[in-house]
Amino acid sequence: RNSKANEIIEAESRKDIRKDINYEYIFHKNTEVLFKEGSSISHYSYGVRLYNQSGIDEWKELELSVDYNRQKLIFEQAKVIKSDGKRIAAERNENHLVFPSLEAGDIILVEYRYENHVWGKLSKEFWNKFALSSYVPVNNAELVIYAPKELDIQIVNENFKIEPTKENIDEFVCYKWYFEKNPAIEYE
């Protein structure tokens, strides 16, 4: 779970409703745990603050993609946090979420993970791309990768020059990137 989620949500819920955008990510955290056998866990945690009807229309439903042949999707929480602090659980049907009673100023909180199981010749290889920005502002973006100490990994940063912090935790090396106040990407 994202240990900073409640703190960020509380601070953001006290702020005025913005008029210049439809919604923004108040936080977005992606954690990858790699195992030497080839499996991995991908954990996602994000909070989205809605500012108007267009933002509400975009976020009233969410469908997460899942490859049932190699992934298990596990929801940890999906809810709406009202401006008065009331929390309303999202309605869920497998990988489809519906957020009820949305209003401007509400915050959507979603936390889920994939257990990824692979096989074949590439089963011990891992590759992925992570976006730490969006076409809307992202106030707090964090990417964390836990890799076994004996695993030789290559990390390629594209479009940013920040190097990760690195620390040993048990049998893993933890790589962490953190960004604050990422502006929206301009449409081309």
Side-chain angles (χ1 to χ4, degrees), residues 166-184:
K166 192 173 158 185
E167 80 177 288
N168 291 325
I169 299 175
D170 297 325
E171 69 270 15
F172 293 96
V173 177
C174 175
Y175 302 87
K176 220 181 257 192
W177 292 261
Y178 186 76
F179 300 85
E180 287 185 302
K181 306 291 183 207
N182 284 348

Side-chain angles (χ1 to χ4, degrees), residues 4 26 43 91 106 112 115 119 145 149 167 184 186:
K4 298 177 185 176
I26 59 174
H43 184 270
E91 299 165 11
D106 288 352
Y112 60 95
E115 293 178 354
W119 57 90
I145 299 175
K149 288 179 181 175
E167 80 177 288
E186 296 291 326

Side-chain angles (χ1 to χ4, degrees), residues 1-10 27 29 111 140 142 176 178 180:
R1 290 209 171 191
N2 185 342
S3 61
K4 298 177 185 176
N6 287 331
E7 176 185 325
I8 294 170
I9 289 168
E10 189 175 313
F27 64 87
K29 182 176 182 180
E111 291 189 321
N140 300 280
E142 188 173 6
K176 220 181 257 192
Y178 186 76
E180 287 185 302

Side-chain angles (χ1 to χ4, degrees), residues 9 12-19 22-23 26 48-53 55-56 80-85 101-108:
I9 289 168
E12 289 292 328
S13 64
R14 289 192 297 266
K15 293 181 180 177
D16 290 336
I17 293 176
R18 292 181 63 171
K19 305 285 186 211
N22 300 330
Y23 68 92
I26 59 174
V48 177
R49 186 146 191 228
L50 307 173
Y51 293 119
N52 58 33
Q53 190 60 47
I56 291 167
V80 176
I81 298 146
K82 307 300 278 179
S83 53
D84 65 1
S101 308
L102 292 176
E103 300 172 302
D106 288 352
I107 295 172
I108 291 174

Side-chain angles (χ1 to χ4, degrees), residues 32-42 114-118 123-126 145-151 171-172:
E32 295 287 332
V33 181
L34 311 179
F35 300 100
K36 60 184 173 186
E37 298 81 17
S39 295
S40 65
I41 296 172
S42 303
Y114 293 105
E115 293 178 354
N116 304 298
H117 303 284
V118 292
S123 65
K124 293 190 180 192
E125 303 294 326
F126 175 82
I145 299 175
Y146 292 92
K149 288 179 181 175
E150 65 273 8
L151 191 65
E171 69 270 15
F172 293 96

Side-chain angles (χ1 to χ4, degrees), residues 61-66 73 75 93 95-99 114:
E61 294 186 42
L62 176 64
E63 188 155 344
L64 298 172
S65 63
V66 59
L73 173 62
F75 280 99
N93 183 5
N95 62 329
H96 188 144
L97 298 172
V98 176
F99 297 98
Y114 293 105

Side-chain angles (χ1 to χ4, degrees), residues 68-89:
Y68 290 103
N69 291 317
R70 61 176 208 89
Q71 292 179 313
K72 180 179 180 182
L73 173 62
I74 300 165
F75 280 99
E76 295 175 359
Q77 59 181 331
K79 59 184 77 170
V80 176
I81 298 146
K82 307 300 278 179
S83 53
D84 65 1
K86 183 178 178 186
R87 294 172 180 246
I88 302 170

